Amino acid sequence: MYKYDQYDHQMLQDRIAQFRDQTRRFLAGELSDAQFLPLRLQNGLYIQRYAPMFRIAIPYGCLSTRQLRRLARLARDYDKGYGHFSTRQNMQMNWPKLEQVPDMLAELAEVEMHSIQTSGNCVRNTTTDQFAGVSPHEVEDSRPWCEIIRQWSTFHPEFSHLPRKFKIAVCGTEHDQAATQVHDIGLYIVKDEQGELGFKVLVGGGLGRTPVIGQVIREFLPWQHLLSYLDAILRIYNQEGRRDNKFKARIKILVKELGAQRFGEKVEAEWLYGKDGPATLTQAEVDRCKSFFTEPAYETLDDHDAAVATLSSSDLLFAHWLERNVEAHKRPGYRIVTLCLKATGSAPGDLSSEQMEFVADLADRYSFNELRVTHEQNLVLTDVRLKDLPELYRALQTQLLATPYTGFLNDIIACPGGDYCSLANAKSLPVAEAIQRRFDSFERLQEIGDMTLNISGC
Ligand code: HEM
Ligand code: SF4
């Protein structure tokens, strides 16, 4: 995982002091709602139906157990004892008190976390495949590239006031699990005929009321030029994206109006100003970022375990769990385990403080102290020994975390909707629950087959 240096720590401390003062002035009536709005948004704070909603960044979904325990503590001490994992691999808390948010930020900073750029019209949390670095079907680990983009986009002075929010996804695996095509910029890690690494660049994808699949504007961008090319795309968007109408302000509308080819030509022309300039990535910089994502101390293991095979033939529920929630790993004798947060009756993506602490203990015991958040609002233990699966399964069962529904209809992605969000015109959570209850049977779900269902309240 990326480790903060002195500059990162200092940056967070400065930011907290700044926001503490802004909050104080707002509460004292010295700042108006309109003045406070952009300040709170850039710190992850929305004013929702009942309370401010506070969004915490989990860069590309990577979380240490120390961080998860801190989230559990924040949910318990400042909220109602639970948190909500979102589709951008972040965490949201729905009931904090505005005056306590600066204290929450200070507690987060102690474990190298923050909520910078989790809302507002800026580059948001870059997302990626939850199996990055452990998938057997990978072109290259996407996490170092996400970290490079994170550092580039954080407080980027030119792109802090874009026409609208901006979302980037990076995919390094053959099977895209990062919904890369429905992002403002989608980057596929690819290799050319000489084996050189680069990116296939898509722009203008998105969801919401105008769902669009992104279009390719460059088949192969050599890795050295990643940041200068991103600069060029964002510059064109920043200059030409619409600011008169919020609903027409995303880059997908601009790309649609200009056409992908024309948009691509503009980007290429703009790129000539920055190409080979200071934003060019060096091997040393890439190596520095890669050094944070080295492999854990894997053991040399057999890729077969008799006890697991026996249990899966005698225990049908365990067999179902293996089939749906356990995936192959690049190392023999290891497996990737998804914790499906979709038990019938619980809101998709919600986890109580007790469950968070329980999961942190499991990740410490079975998966090298780290875990991942998925854009489907589940959690993943990336490095579980095959022989530990039965023990892990039994432990997960005790906390309703072994629901074997990953990738089925009941693995619903749902926003908080009308229960919390002031923009909603429908409640998504009760709809999700009704569907989950209706289809709560492995056999029925298997009959339906793989199916994704996304529910939004607006
Ligand atoms: C043009 C207006 C907007 C549209 C059409 C829109 C649409 C969407 C869509 C389609 C998603 C993904 C839902 C999913 O697939 O799970 C989403 C995520 C989200 N949006 Fe927006 N959104 C809009 C503006 C906003 C605003 C202004 C807010 C805050 C007040 C907001 C808060 C959220 C949250 C919290 C999520 C993440 C939900 C989750 O993952 O749990 N959205 N939005
Ligand atoms: S109701 Fe709409 S705006 Fe509100 S959280 Fe859901 S998707 Fe987002």
Side-chain angles (χ1 to χ4, degrees), residues 361-378:
D361 288 347
L362 292 182
D364 276 345
R365 200 171 324 141
Y366 298 112
S367 195
F368 298 103
N369 323 102
E370 281 185 24
L371 59 157
R372 310 274 175 91
V373 183
T374 81
H375 95 272
E376 294 96 349
Q377 304 178 286
N378 293 321

Side-chain angles (χ1 to χ4, degrees), residues 48 53 55 92 165 414-418 420-426 428 455-458:
Q48 295 290 38
M53 185 269 280
R55 191 179 288 156
Q92 292 174 183
K165 58 185 170 183
C415 77
Y420 302 101
C421 172
S422 45
L423 293 175
N425 45 34
S428 33
I455 306 179
S456 124
C458 63

